[in-house]
Amino acid sequence: MSFEPRVPIPQKGASLMVAFRAHSKNMLVIGDNAVAASRVLSCLEADAHVYIIANCTQLCPELEYRLDHHQITWLSTYLEPSTLDRIQFDMAFITNSTVTTEQLDKFRRRRIPINVADHPELSDFFMTSTYRDKALQVAISTNGQASKLATRIRRELTAQLPPHLGDAIERVGVLRKKVRQLDPSRNSSVRRMTWLAQISEYWSMERLAKLTDRDMDELLDVYHHDEGYESTETPPSPPLVRRHSTKTTGTISLVGAGTGDPDLLTVAALKAINKADLVLADKIVPAPILALIPPTTPLKIARKFPGNADAAQHEFNEIALKAVQDGQHVVRLKQGDPFLFGRGGEEVLFFRKHQIVPRIVPGISSTVAASLAVGIPLTHRTVASQFLVTTGTGAASSRAPLPRFDRWRTDVFLMSVHRLRALTTDLMTTQAYPEDVPCAVVERASCKDQRVVWAPLKRIADLMDAVGSQPPGLLVVGHAVNVLKAENKASEGVAAHLMTDSGLPPFTTSTLDNGSTVFDVSKLNQNLLALHDPEQVF
């Protein structure tokens, strides 16, 4: 039997959404009203050359102003036969109330795309309701069906966007150019993409927007040497030394940040964060948790890349030691629980050598909570009487010792998604795991964009290749994966939750007065598959 890859099913009737580079292109606007002025503004913002055909005595004030200030070029009152032959136009916008078939034919014979206001059936393309913040543009289209509603949708969507997006995009754009100059080889494109993707994923928008040239130079130095950490902001002010007659030693707290939802952070963890003079955070600690850190508290985020975790760990230990010796209260903020593959024990031993005893603040571990968040019980009577937690990656990204398959056990593999295909192959070929045993990759558990990708073991790597990864994530293997799965769920798929027919978490439902149940999709990121890089700019 030939292998059939999993491919998305096209949903017909869409428009092709692109960001058209109109720099120095010739755009023609026919009309003298406010709609024409709006089209002109859009073209001018895209750095196009704009020509208008209109009655100069009836121009709206905005068009009259632009004509007087030589921002646009007036051609004639009516469309003349020679105009389209004399100037090569790239697009045309017709906004007046009268348009003839003869006019449309003139444009189409010359393959000039046209937009006719209020006539979607005559248009080759539609205008969108657009939000702009510097380089960021968000366009909403209803495909010509409800343009006024598109404006409201755009307004409501953009009201939920975090601040400083435009600044963040500009700074990351500068960083991208710098790293391309540092490492221009085509063979390094994947490395550059992975490095920039991690920074874009783990840093908050506010901190990205504040990237200084010095921050970038430090980041590029880390990229060049493939190891270490990076500060997320300009260097902190001098360490706070307690005002005592003699120098006092500070404290170090190993704090579990939980799974990512701030509501699941323990009270003890929050108190430790608020009292800290310095926070050293894992790179996978989600932005909502980092947002709880007071803005005046210096924050450093680990820059661990495959193959250099040991160097980054050593660097963080030394920073923490110096800060503690200077009298600061340091929080080492670790995703999940500090002692479940969090190297917390190693840090305790390190500080013990320097006569310092860290305080331990446990955190909710993803080993249990991630599965629960998407509707997978790790144990279930008659299905799984035990569960095992292990790692999918050994030292220096090597192969880790793997367990033998047990029909009555659920296995949770941390640090496994980045080498999923090699791991699942090893499980099937060397550890007697059946090819059809259910498994699931759980990503960003308890966050607004949590996702579960499930399939038989032999298919999970192919499915993840198709939909892309959204770290952090873990792999769950065992028959418990299917125990609570909704009946309408197929043997493989992608959703935010397994237990509900809709695929939405149960907490997003609400009951109307008539007794019916509806889903509040505003509380969940529905874009579960769009994880590729459409701009291909790396």
Side-chain angles (χ1 to χ4, degrees):
M1 180 181 295
S2 61
F3 171 71
E4 295 185 2
R6 178 186 174 89
V7 296
I9 300 175
Q11 299 183 36
K12 302 293 186 180
S15 297
L16 181 63
M17 302 289 284
V18 299
F20 181 68
R21 298 189 66 182
H23 180 77
S24 298
K25 298 291 195 300
N26 294 326
M27 303 295 181
L28 177 62
V29 178
I30 302 177
D32 51 28
N33 52 24
V35 176
S38 175
R39 304 291 190 263
V40 166
L41 175 60
S42 297
C43 294
L44 290 176
E45 289 193 328
D47 301 317
H49 297 313
V50 184
Y51 300 83
I52 66 166
I53 293 177
N55 187 335
C56 285
T57 64
Q58 299 179 3
L59 291 178
C60 69
E62 183 175 334
L63 288 177
E64 188 174 1
Y65 172 88
R66 299 197 187 283
L67 186 60
D68 290 342
H69 288 77
H70 309 290
Q71 297 179 5
I72 57 179
T73 302
W74 177 81
L75 295 176
S76 58
T77 301
Y78 303 101
L79 178 62
E80 298 176 353
S82 62
T83 301
L84 301 183
D85 296 322
R86 183 163 46 90
I87 303 174
Q88 183 176 345
F89 292 105
D90 296 282
M91 282 185 178
F93 306 83
I94 302 175
T95 67
N96 55 15
S97 57
T98 58
V99 57
T100 66
T101 303
E102 181 182 1
Q103 286 179 320
L104 298 178
D105 289 341
K106 290 179 181 179
F107 289 99
R108 295 205 165 102
R109 282 198 302 269
R110 294 165 177 81
R111 297 185 178 182
I112 302 173
I114 57 174
N115 170 268
V116 183
D118 294 328
H119 289 280
E121 74 283 358
L122 302 178
S123 300
D124 296 311
F125 62 94
F126 305 122
M127 298 301 293
T128 60
S129 180
T130 304
Y131 166 85
R132 184 180 181 190
D133 179 2
K134 298 183 177 178
L136 173 67
Q137 288 181 269
V138 179
I140 303 296
S141 175
T142 58
N143 287 310
Q145 297 189 46
S147 58
K148 300 304 181 185
L149 182 57
T151 301
R152 177 183 175 183
I153 295 172
R154 183 256 305 162
R155 186 174 63 250
E156 295 194 7
L157 285 177
T158 55
Q160 301 179 46
L161 294 177
H164 314 297
L165 284 180
D167 292 328
I169 291 171
E170 287 190 354
R171 300 310 292 165
V172 173
V174 173
L175 181 61
R176 179 178 65 85
K177 292 179 181 178
K178 286 179 177 288
V179 75
R180 285 178 66 93
Q181 293 172 353
L182 176 68
D183 190 10
S185 170
R186 176 174 294 184
N187 295 332
S188 299
S189 61
V190 174
R191 180 168 175 249
R192 293 195 305 265
M193 178 179 67
T194 302
W195 185 77
L196 280 168
Q198 289 194 2
I199 292 174
S200 299
E201 179 70 31
Y202 296 124
W203 289 34
S204 70
M205 289 296 176
E206 182 177 1
R207 296 184 185 278
L208 287 172
K210 293 180 179 178
L211 267 178
T212 65
D213 290 339
R214 180 173 178 175
D215 292 332
M216 292 186 194
D217 289 341
E218 292 178 352
L219 281 169
L220 293 173
D221 184 64
V222 170
Y223 175 88
H224 183 70
H225 294 94
D226 251 357
E227 65 184 30
Y229 73 93
E230 281 309 315
S231 173
T232 62
E233 55 185 76
T234 54
S237 55
L240 175 63
V241 179
R242 304 299 171 188
R243 299 185 180 222
H244 296 289
S245 57
T246 59
K247 185 176 180 179
T248 61
T249 301
T251 62
I252 175 73
S253 298
L254 307 184
V255 178
T259 58
D261 184 350
D263 288 343
L264 297 180
L265 191 70
T266 66
V267 174
L270 184 59
K271 287 181 178 179
I273 290 172
N274 287 329
K275 292 180 180 179
D277 298 318
L278 172 66
V279 176
L280 305 176
D282 284 349
K283 73 175 184 180
I284 59 174
V285 175
I289 298 294
L290 297 180
L292 299 176
I293 301 172
T296 56
T297 302
L299 165 68
K300 295 181 183 294
I301 296 179
R303 287 290 134 209
K304 293 182 180 179
F305 295 93
N308 48 49
D310 289 341
Q313 181 72 23
H314 175 74
E315 195 85 32
F316 254 28
N317 286 345
E318 293 296 330
I319 291 174
L321 176 61
K322 184 179 184 304
V324 171
Q325 291 174 338
D326 286 342
Q328 296 191 70
H329 297 292
V330 180
V331 163
R332 181 68 175 91
L333 192 60
K334 306 174 80 67
Q335 181 73 346
D337 183 272
F339 285 81
L340 274 172
F341 295 100
R343 305 183 75 157
E346 297 176 29
E347 296 183 26
V348 169
L349 294 175
F350 171 83
F351 288 106
R352 181 179 294 172
K353 293 178 181 178
H354 299 276
Q355 292 74 51
I356 299 171
V357 179
R359 178 196 177 202
I360 310 301
V361 180
I364 296 177
S365 174
S366 61
T367 56
V368 176
S371 301
L372 180 63
V374 299
I376 298 175
L378 293 181
T379 62
H380 189 83
R381 192 184 305 187
T382 74
V383 177
S385 60
Q386 55 185 309
F387 71 91
L388 178 147
V389 179
T390 186
T391 176
T393 303
S397 297
S398 63
R399 294 173 60 183
L402 299 176
R404 294 287 292 180
F405 177 71
D406 186 327
R407 168 68 177 80
W408 307 105
R409 188 184 68 216
T410 305
D411 296 336
V412 180
F413 295 89
L414 304 180
M415 296 173 285
S416 56
V417 179
H418 69 284
R419 60 181 307 269
L420 186 62
R421 186 173 298 278
L423 173 61
T424 54
T425 299
D426 281 350
L427 292 176
M428 291 183 289
T429 58
T430 68
Q431 303 302 324
Y433 278 68
E435 293 184 346
D436 61 351
V437 65
C439 66
V441 172
V442 183
E443 297 176 312
R444 300 187 66 79
S446 80
C447 296
K448 292 181 179 179
D449 54 350
Q450 80 171 24
R451 186 179 74 164
V452 56
V453 182
W454 73 93
L457 188 61
K458 66 178 180 180
R459 287 280 298 132
I460 191 65
D462 291 329
L463 183 53
M464 284 298 295
D465 284 345
V467 304
S469 63
Q470 180 176 295
L474 53 78
L475 173 68
V476 183
V477 182
H479 293 282
V481 169
N482 286 340
V483 167
L484 302 181
K485 190 172 70 175
E487 293 182 358
N488 70 328
K489 296 287 188 297
S491 61
E492 59 182 63
V494 184
H497 205 281
L498 284 176
M499 293 197 309
T500 61
D501 291 342
S502 68
L504 301 183
F507 54 78
T508 61
T509 62
S510 58
T511 303
L512 301 180
D513 292 338
N514 59 10
S516 61
T517 300
V518 297
F519 292 94
D520 184 1
V521 297
S522 66
K523 297 181 180 178
L524 183 72
N525 181 355
Q526 297 292 298
N527 195 12
L528 297 172
L529 296 176
L531 300 174
H532 60 292
D533 172 37
E535 295 187 359
Q536 295 292 308
V537 295
F538 295 101

